[in-house]
Amino acid sequence: MSVHAQGSGPGLPGERCPEHDLELGWFCAEHRRAVCAQCAELGGCSGHRVTALAEKAAELRNKIVDQCERLQLQSAAITKHMAEVLPGKNQSALSAASWAREVVIQRLTFVRNVCENEEQRLLEKVHAEEERAHQSILTQRAHWTESLKKLAALRTYLVDMITNLDDHGLVHAEQEIFERTEAAEGILEPQESEKLNFNQKCVQSPLLHQLWASAVLSLEEVHVDEKTVSPRLALSDDKKTLMFSPKAKPYPVCPERFDHWPNALAAKAFHKGTHAWRVSVAKSCAYKLGIAYGSLQRKGAGSEARLGYNPSSWVFSRFDKEFRFSHNGHHQVLELARCPTQVGVVVDLDGGEVLFYDPIACVILHSHQEAFTESIYPVLAVADQSISLVQ
């Protein structure tokens, strides 16, 4: 290209071409160095892409300014993460650990004489998990603090480059500048990590579950609310047994009654604490039992009224030889060694857990953790023979 066509590039005081004794006012892109007009027009850079040195420096300045802005945004994101997320994670881990301790201690009071060693073991696991979560948070805090220092140092360095270097010095330092900025690219944005959360599964113990379920089972007297019984069901006089009826019963129409699915709710709701009851299922090959909110839909054939297919119900079910736990349309197939003749239901509203238990075999069938937001009712459904609440 012709440098005359673009005008003369501004010279750099004290910087002259050793070959032509002219000011180094141009920049050769191929040789990556400052040259004079003669070199650019007729010398070794003839035919190369040549731009005014000031234009090249301005381009570099713009790039550095953009990089500084990105570093500032990155620093702001990390600062926000440290100020808003990490303290919350720390408090959440402490609260979860406190909750876990209460659950362990409360349940072990039922069987204190036989589980002192188990209590100690579980409390140590809670403490270890709390320490792990806390250490993870501290490690993250240290990591992001160091990252902020690196970003701040790099930004200071870049600002110093812009402030103190002339065009020639800035161009000469280009390689060094961008080698140092590459280090910032390795600092990733903060991401959500399970390592920062308290793992509540650390307090799960088969021994504790079995002893706890055995101790509290059969504490409740549960009766079926006849106003909720589906026309596909018949209710015994003692309000304990539900029998499937292929032919719909002419029950009075009322808002509480299920009008399609063969469901029924218990008469009493539970608001807090631990509650348990047993259901005899030996005669049926198609049933559901568990818990549901009182807001469960009663009308229609949709999922809103179908047990286990909505957010308002949690049920253990059997259909022929298949056993499942269902909630909100999610179904977990359960592999059981034997068909239970009785199923116990234990719900801990304060601890947030529902547990299904075989009291004859002393086996936990399934447990599920949930933060219950409403009062719950025992719920039953049967589509083959009958099931009965055990006295």
Side-chain angles (χ1 to χ4, degrees), residues 165-184:
L165 292 185
D166 56 21
D167 291 352
H168 181 77
L170 192 63
V171 171
H172 182 73
E174 178 187 8
Q175 185 64 30
E176 178 187 350
I177 291 171
F178 286 99
E179 282 179 358
R180 295 187 64 168
T181 57
E182 283 182 357

Side-chain angles (χ1 to χ4, degrees), residues 338-351:
R338 61 186 293 275
C339 294
T341 58
Q342 287 189 12
V343 177
V345 183
V346 180
V347 58
D348 182 355
L349 291 169
D350 299 327

Side-chain angles (χ1 to χ4, degrees), residues 74-75 77-83 85-86 136-152 184 186-193 196:
Q74 189 175 8
S75 297
I78 293 174
T79 301
K80 182 178 180 181
H81 180 75
M82 292 179 64
V85 177
L86 293 185
S136 294
I137 293 170
L138 291 179
T139 300
Q140 281 248 342
R141 185 182 295 278
H143 169 75
W144 293 122
T145 299
E146 184 63 25
S147 297
L148 283 175
K149 290 180 180 178
K150 291 180 180 179
L151 292 175
I187 300 176
L188 303 178
E189 298 289 340
Q191 300 290 333
E192 174 66 25
S193 172
L196 301 178

